[in-house]
Amino acid sequence: VADCENHVLRKIDLKAKKVETLAGTGKQVWSRAGGPAKTSSLNSPWDVLLSPDKKTLYIAMAGDHRIWYMDLVKDTVEILAGNGREDIIDGPFNKSSYAQPSGLALHKDILYIADSEGSAVRALDLTKRVADTVLGYANNAEARLFTFGDVDGKMGTAKLQHPLAVAWYQDKLLVADTYNHKIKLLDVAQREIATILGDGKPGKEDGKQARFFEPGGLAVLGDKLYIADTNNHLIRVADLKTREVTTLQIKLPKR
């Protein structure tokens, strides 16, 4: 768990129902840091993602505009990418810039990032150690940060508004376009995005004309997309084949 405002990472044992702090001291740090996990201070971690070999935990560190990682074997945390400047700059990991990275998705050797304040989707090639912008306005001083909107289409014309989550699905990337109250599907090869759920107006209607209110988290299971519909205080379930949305009914156990 990325425990954002406590500035720590937590681990929940679902069987034993126990919680343990994995990394962080609870103190927010603004400068470059790293080292032993439990004695290293973090800065507003917003999302975590476990590598397939379960040895690495990738961290979207929104507070210092970087991507970090935790080595679960060595029990250390280190910066993976980002120079700490809030911006959208591509290139080698140590020279690249991000703007409140908030969501992570991994496909093969590419780590995808919902780079929220830049209203962009970024891609980190973990083999070549180079960052690229899949959708957004990078390396352009006149149209970089704070260029946002709600426009479907190809890179260069398409716009998002403060996306907070990404999830991989059938060779494409699902994007929670949070401030547009939509779910969009990004073809990363063609660098083209299209709205698949939501009409841009906040609401909580189910069905094929569904509405959301700042969706902030995504998880895919088969052809079902689970959506943290933040301002509706609901979990929504979208059938990605029929595009029909329902609200998850949660039954609390009796105590």
Side-chain angles (χ1 to χ4, degrees):
V1 179
D3 193 358
C4 182
E5 292 195 20
N6 277 324
H7 312 290
V8 295
L9 304 183
R10 318 286 289 279
K11 179 176 72 172
I12 301 174
D13 187 321
L14 298 175
K15 289 185 178 181
K17 296 184 179 180
K18 290 184 179 180
V19 180
E20 175 188 352
T21 297
L22 276 182
T25 63
K27 180 180 179 181
Q28 187 176 24
V29 67
W30 295 95
S31 59
R32 178 183 171 88
K38 290 185 179 179
T39 59
S40 297
S41 295
L42 309 179
N43 189 342
S44 299
W46 204 273
D47 195 16
V48 289
L49 188 149
L50 187 63
S51 65
D53 63 8
K54 300 183 180 180
K55 294 180 180 179
T56 303
L57 192 67
Y58 297 105
I59 309 161
M61 201 75 74
D64 74 354
H65 314 296
R66 291 182 172 112
I67 307 302
W68 287 48
Y69 72 97
M70 180 174 178
D71 187 320
L72 296 172
V73 177
K74 297 179 180 178
D75 202 29
T76 57
V77 290
E78 300 290 346
I79 293 167
L80 175 67
N83 53 27
R85 293 193 297 272
E86 186 178 18
D87 211 331
I88 311 177
I89 302 294
D90 293 336
F93 280 4
N94 63 336
K95 295 182 179 180
S96 59
S97 296
Y98 309 86
Q100 293 182 24
S102 299
L104 302 173
L106 183 66
H107 179 64
K108 297 182 178 178
D109 292 325
I110 306 296
L111 182 65
Y112 293 97
I113 303 163
D115 207 11
S116 64
E117 199 65 16
S119 295
V121 177
R122 317 290 297 282
L124 271 61
D125 188 317
L126 299 174
T127 302
K128 297 179 181 178
R129 299 184 65 82
V130 172
D132 185 27
T133 297
V134 182
L135 197 78
Y137 292 79
N139 307 326
N140 181 340
E142 295 181 359
R144 204 158 57 204
L145 274 180
F146 312 116
T147 298
F148 58 86
D150 184 6
V151 181
D152 289 350
K154 292 207 169 191
M155 175 89 155
T157 57
K159 291 184 177 72
L160 304 171
Q161 187 173 187
H162 205 85
L164 286 179
V166 285
W168 191 260
Y169 174 70
Q170 291 188 351
D171 296 325
K172 292 182 174 64
L173 196 68
L174 291 156
V175 181
D177 194 3
T178 305
Y179 285 6
N180 284 326
H181 316 293
K182 290 182 174 183
I183 307 299
K184 297 185 177 182
L185 191 63
L186 173 61
D187 186 324
V188 296
Q190 300 297 322
R191 304 200 178 201
E192 185 170 5
I193 197 164
T195 299
I196 61 168
L197 299 167
D199 63 2
K201 296 180 180 180
K204 58 179 180 180
E205 291 84 353
D206 284 341
K208 291 192 175 183
Q209 305 297 323
R211 284 180 174 169
F212 309 90
F213 196 174
E214 294 189 7
L218 303 176
V220 175
L221 180 62
D223 292 317
K224 297 291 180 66
L225 174 66
Y226 292 82
I227 303 161
D229 196 4
T230 304
N231 282 358
N232 278 325
H233 314 291
L234 298 172
I235 305 298
R236 315 290 293 282
V237 186
D239 186 314
L240 293 170
K241 288 188 176 294
T242 66
R243 306 283 171 91
E244 183 123 11
V245 174
T246 57
T247 295
L248 183 67
Q249 302 301 312
I250 301 174
K251 295 181 180 179
L252 296 178
K254 293 182 180 180
R255 296 193 177 187

